[in-house]
Amino acid sequence: MTAGRQDASVPFDAQEVQETDVTTGTTIWLTGLPSAGKTTIAYELAGRLGAEGRRVEVLDGDEIREFLSAGLGFSREDRNTNVQRIGFVAELLASHGVTVLVPVIAPYADSRDAVRARHEAAGTPYLEVHVATPVEVCSVRDVKGLYARQAAGEISGLTGVDDPYEEPKAPDLRIESQHQTVAESAAAVHALLNEKGLS
């Protein structure tokens, strides 16, 4: 069959449905400090959405650093590059009907705004969720031991401690995970999807 030509063996109406019947995808970016609970909430929500029959992908920040952004450091420029790479992949997946959960710090507002703009330009739904757990709580959780290492002088440039974190001024949802369970936090994001007609 010649590219771009209709297959005569398939009725026109049926072929049109095959080409257009695609479930709307969405990117949900969960931003917040290290150990805020972003990844835990994302996987909880992914399980819930998957059980509903949705196609879901979690773009884990650590995995992206290892495989897609290997070689990048933690300067502002490198962090921006990392965020834009993730944003590109997220929009690509979401444009093909996948609900994409992105639990990535993305500390700078201009980087996050650029990702939103990419989605808006493509007409792909995008939601920003700020997991607004205070640094005092995050440092106690210290899931990866980063706060302890920073305090011991082993590392520097820790977001929210000795490197800036620019909080979203108007996120689509703000979660204070220290006041609710993981399931409740995931349910709040799920409710946002329903509210926006994206579930």
Side-chain angles (χ1 to χ4, degrees):
M1 180 173 111
T2 304
R5 293 184 59 188
Q6 188 174 317
D7 186 348
S9 66
V10 180
F12 177 81
D13 290 344
Q15 188 175 46
E16 188 172 18
V17 169
Q18 289 173 1
E19 292 175 351
T20 61
D21 187 18
V22 178
T23 303
T24 300
T26 307
T27 292
I28 305 169
W29 197 294
L30 297 97
T31 178
L33 297 175
S35 295
K38 303 179 298 297
T39 302
T40 305
I41 294 169
Y43 278 107
E44 176 76 16
L45 179 58
R48 183 168 183 164
L49 294 172
E52 295 174 355
R54 292 190 66 93
R55 297 164 61 201
V56 185
E57 289 291 341
V58 177
L59 300 184
D60 183 276
D62 290 337
E63 293 178 355
I64 295 292
R65 276 279 180 182
E66 181 178 357
F67 297 107
L68 186 63
S69 293
L72 290 180
F74 291 91
S75 66
R76 186 177 185 117
E77 182 179 2
D78 281 0
R79 287 177 189 263
N80 179 63
T81 298
N82 183 51
V83 168
Q84 298 316 306
R85 287 178 181 177
I86 297 170
F88 171 80
V89 174
E91 194 282 319
L92 185 66
L93 289 170
S95 70
H96 286 83
V98 180
T99 299
V100 187
L101 308 179
V102 187
V104 173
I105 296 170
Y108 304 118
D110 56 353
S111 293
R112 297 193 302 266
D113 290 346
V115 172
R116 182 186 288 276
R118 171 186 289 279
H119 282 71
E120 289 177 349
T124 304
Y126 178 87
L127 298 172
E128 182 178 74
V129 176
H130 179 203
V131 184
T133 312
V135 66
E136 296 81 12
V137 175
C138 294
S139 63
V140 171
R141 291 178 179 175
D142 203 11
V143 177
K144 300 172 186 175
L146 296 176
Y147 292 93
R149 292 179 61 196
Q150 191 278 335
E154 297 175 9
I155 60 172
S156 61
L158 180 60
T159 300
V161 179
D162 58 353
D163 208 61
Y165 176 73
E166 299 170 3
E167 292 192 0
K169 294 181 179 178
D172 296 284
L173 176 67
R174 184 171 277 112
I175 291 174
E176 295 183 354
S177 71
Q178 72 275 21
H179 297 315
Q180 56 192 42
T181 66
V182 172
E184 288 170 339
S185 295
V189 183
H190 191 272
L192 176 65
L193 282 169
N194 289 333
E195 176 189 325
K196 300 292 186 180
L198 297 170
S199 60

